[in-house]
Amino acid sequence: MLEGILFAMFAGVAIGCALGVVFHRNPVHCALLLVGVLLSLAGVFILLHAAFVAALQVIVYAGAIMVLFLFVVMLLNVKGETPLLTPGAAKGFGFLFGLIVATELLWTVLSPGGSEGGPFPAAALPAEFGSPAGLGMLLYTTWLYPFEIVSLLLLVAVVGAVVLAKRKFF
Amino acid sequence: MDLAYLIEALVKVLIVLGFTLLGVPIIVWMERKVLGHMQDRIGPQRVGPFGLLQTIADGIKLFFKEDVVPSQVDKVMFAVAPAISVVTALAAMSVIPFGDHVTLFGRVIPLRITDVSIAILFLLGATSMGVYGIVLGGWSSNSKYPLLGALRSSAQMISYELAMGTALLPIILMTGSLSLLQIGRAQTHMWFIVPQIVAFVIYMICAVAETNRAPFDLAEAETELVAGFHTEFSSMRFALYYVSEYANIMVVSAVAITCFLGAWNGPFLPGWAWFLIKLVAFLFFYIWIRATFPRLRYDQLMTFGWKFLLPLALVNLAVTAVVLTVKG
């Protein structure tokens, strides 16, 4: 009951903020609404018994990445009236990607077992579920290769960023 | 979830809230008094005994001042930004354990609002959200000095947050828990400052930088930036920033005590008394730092954070991990 109310709250705020990101004119306000989306998602993660993921969501996405986003938007001082793409092309792309994501989501929910057990399967979970120890164990055993590949990808991105930023010195 | 539990939780929330908000004027008074004596002055002494009511008088003054909103500001953000700062600081206080537990009216009452299993991450998350209060305050003012101040301080906070988090990791390794309660209980025999003195020094430096205090108060370097991000704020909005700064100082001090200085552990006195004693002593130390060091230059600050503190914290973490593995 309580979980249901909380879920409705977080989900509602997330959807509201997401709509705001799309429709708001001022880019700084858009960035902040995106922060709102990320924070509400963190709330949903907590309801799904994934407190560690929720904390990471807040620290990494809302706390670090979005601040850098905000920096760029603030310093560029983008006016709300200058769209990046022409309206027609932007609408086309937006519609296409929106359709793809919507199809994927529907596919997942409607496929067998997609919505099995409802959103809060608390009873069936092992004690370690969602805890930092449990997550670390999974990452470093079962999912070791994907994990290492992602870290390599990030390293490449970091080196690339440094090279691009320092290009004038070479 | 019975009624008694709800009442207990509510009372605890109110106590911690009151403690933090009433602690702010006391810390401000303490700072002015200690700083005064360290600089061979007397400090406040006119209002109340030993000038104790000076900050109360200042608070009332700020409350009744005209709320000036400059004409070209972003009205919504101008109102929200100071609130974000205060809320994040107060939220962080909710996971601080002031003691283990006391028995009152036949009930065992844990001396903390909540003991979430990921308390340290919650704290780091709250402080990382606090950056928004400063960034938005500077941006919404629509003025050059606040914007520059906001950029400086948020870059500084993001940089030092990394080293701060890394300095706390060895503690987590040693206790095997992210809960501040477990960390406190693990220090009954030895304070973590003894094996982790390096981490403590790193944490201390980062804490001062994180709260934008001298010698890291470049965000409000008055010789260059007027008053930094809160230049355009007046009246209660300014007071909110002021409260959040001191509330944040309380938070980082409480975390330092819990993680390094033995939490509430100590002989003879009850746990919460030891916690308060350590808090006051630590705040004195904090003010002492401010009175001692001159302000750094901005590039020095960034170089120091990224090229010295962070690598040192990483090495410290690696050494701790190796030692713990060898010991078994």
Side-chain angles (χ1 to χ4, degrees):
Chain A
M1 179 61 194
L2 185 66
E3 280 182 331
I5 295 172
L6 285 173
F7 175 76
M9 204 175 84
F10 286 127
V13 172
I15 292 170
C17 286
L19 286 174
V21 175
V22 179
F23 288 113
H24 215 287
R25 273 296 165 95
N26 187 330
V28 173
H29 289 188
C30 290
L32 283 173
L33 287 165
L34 191 52
V35 175
V37 176
L38 294 171
L39 288 179
S40 336
L41 280 185
V44 175
F45 278 133
I46 289 179
L47 288 178
L48 290 169
H49 306 274
F52 185 62
V53 180
L56 290 189
Q57 168 100 356
V58 173
I59 295 172
V60 177
Y61 284 97
I65 293 178
M66 282 315 294
V67 173
L68 296 179
F69 249 74
L70 207 60
F71 265 30
V72 176
V73 176
M74 274 163 47
L75 287 179
L76 290 179
N77 205 8
V78 195
K79 291 281 171 291
E81 308 302 323
T82 49
L84 286 170
L85 295 166
T86 54
K91 270 179 197 158
F93 273 117
F95 187 73
L96 189 68
F97 285 123
L99 204 65
I100 294 171
V101 173
T103 319
E104 279 175 349
L105 281 176
L106 273 178
W107 184 273
T108 318
V109 174
L110 295 180
S111 61
S115 56
E116 205 171 81
F120 318 112
L125 293 174
E128 281 285 87
F129 184 85
S131 76
L135 204 72
M137 213 53 165
L138 277 178
L139 270 186
Y140 285 101
T141 53
T142 320
W143 306 102
L144 181 64
Y145 290 114
F147 179 71
E148 290 298 338
I149 291 168
V150 167
S151 57
L152 202 65
L153 200 65
L154 285 174
L155 186 66
V156 171
V158 170
V159 173
V162 171
V163 169
L164 283 176
K166 292 272 179 184
R167 179 169 270 172
K168 59 179 178 228
F169 297 118
F170 291 127
Chain B
M1 201 181 294
D2 55 331
L3 192 66
Y5 176 82
L6 275 180
I7 293 172
E8 180 194 316
L10 195 66
V11 168
K12 280 196 293 196
V13 168
L14 287 177
I15 287 176
V16 172
L17 200 64
F19 175 75
T20 316
L21 291 179
L22 288 177
V24 169
I26 295 170
I27 299 173
V28 175
W29 170 79
M30 190 171 139
E31 170 163 41
R32 292 183 63 176
K33 205 73 183 166
V34 172
L35 211 56
H37 282 284
M38 281 181 178
Q39 295 168 345
D40 212 5
R41 298 182 285 114
I42 309 174
Q45 51 148 346
R46 295 281 164 175
V47 192
F50 307 105
L52 256 173
L53 299 176
Q54 180 66 47
T55 37
I56 306 287
D58 285 345
I60 295 171
K61 181 195 75 176
L62 280 171
F63 200 81
F64 285 110
K65 273 202 167 183
E66 185 190 351
D67 180 23
V68 181
V69 181
S71 63
Q72 293 295 310
V73 302
D74 186 321
K75 293 244 165 32
V76 180
M77 289 306 151
F78 199 70
V80 170
I84 295 178
S85 280
V86 177
V87 167
T88 51
L90 292 178
M93 281 306 276
S94 64
V95 291
I96 303 288
F98 290 87
D100 206 317
H101 51 73
V102 289
T103 311
L104 209 64
F105 309 120
R107 280 178 69 88
V108 178
I109 298 176
L111 286 174
R112 68 206 80 90
I113 292 181
T114 169
D115 176 47
V116 285
S117 56
I118 49 158
I120 287 191
L121 294 177
F122 181 88
L123 277 167
L124 291 176
T127 45
S128 69
M129 294 317 290
V131 179
Y132 282 108
I134 290 174
V135 177
L136 292 176
W139 176 78
S140 66
S141 305
N142 197 16
S143 162
K144 52 187 174 298
Y145 294 124
L147 184 63
L148 287 172
L151 287 178
R152 268 191 183 186
S153 73
S154 38
Q156 172 183 335
M157 284 169 87
I158 294 171
S159 310
Y160 278 78
E161 237 167 51
L162 274 175
M164 192 173 180
T166 319
L168 289 175
L169 282 178
I171 305 293
I172 301 170
L173 278 184
M174 290 182 76
T175 43
S177 169
L178 289 165
S179 146
L180 287 173
L181 179 67
Q182 298 303 329
I183 290 173
R185 281 183 182 160
Q187 296 179 78
T188 32
H189 299 299
M190 182 169 62
W191 294 4
F192 280 150
I193 189 174
V194 180
Q196 290 295 342
I197 180 76
V198 181
F200 175 71
V201 173
I202 297 171
Y203 177 84
M204 200 50 231
I205 295 172
C206 293
V208 177
E210 185 76 22
T211 44
N212 284 320
R213 301 263 303 167
F216 300 106
D217 60 343
L218 291 131
E220 38 193 285
E222 56 269 29
T223 43
E224 310 156 23
L225 289 177
V226 192
F229 65 89
H230 57 53
T231 305
E232 304 287 350
F233 288 86
S234 57
S235 179
M236 267 325 268
R237 297 179 207 248
F238 169 74
L240 281 182
Y241 272 127
Y242 212 73
V243 167
S244 75
E245 181 179 334
Y246 284 89
N248 271 322
I249 290 172
M250 270 172 106
V251 171
V252 292
S253 306
V255 174
I257 291 165
T258 313
C259 290
F260 294 102
L261 298 174
W264 59 84
N265 294 302
F268 311 122
L269 293 170
W272 54 268
W274 271 112
F275 194 88
L276 285 184
I277 291 170
K278 286 175 186 174
L279 191 64
V280 171
F282 198 84
L283 288 169
F284 179 82
F285 181 59
Y286 220 99
I287 298 165
W288 193 1
I289 291 176
R290 174 179 170 176
T292 309
F293 292 104
R295 184 180 294 143
L296 271 82
R297 226 172 48 221
Y298 192 63
D299 58 316
Q300 291 173 331
L301 171 93
M302 280 305 185
T303 317
F304 183 63
W306 284 101
K307 296 189 178 166
F308 180 72
L309 275 187
L310 187 58
L312 185 66
L314 285 171
V315 168
N316 183 46
L317 176 63
V319 169
T320 311
V322 168
V323 169
L324 284 179
T325 317
V326 169
K327 275 168 71 179

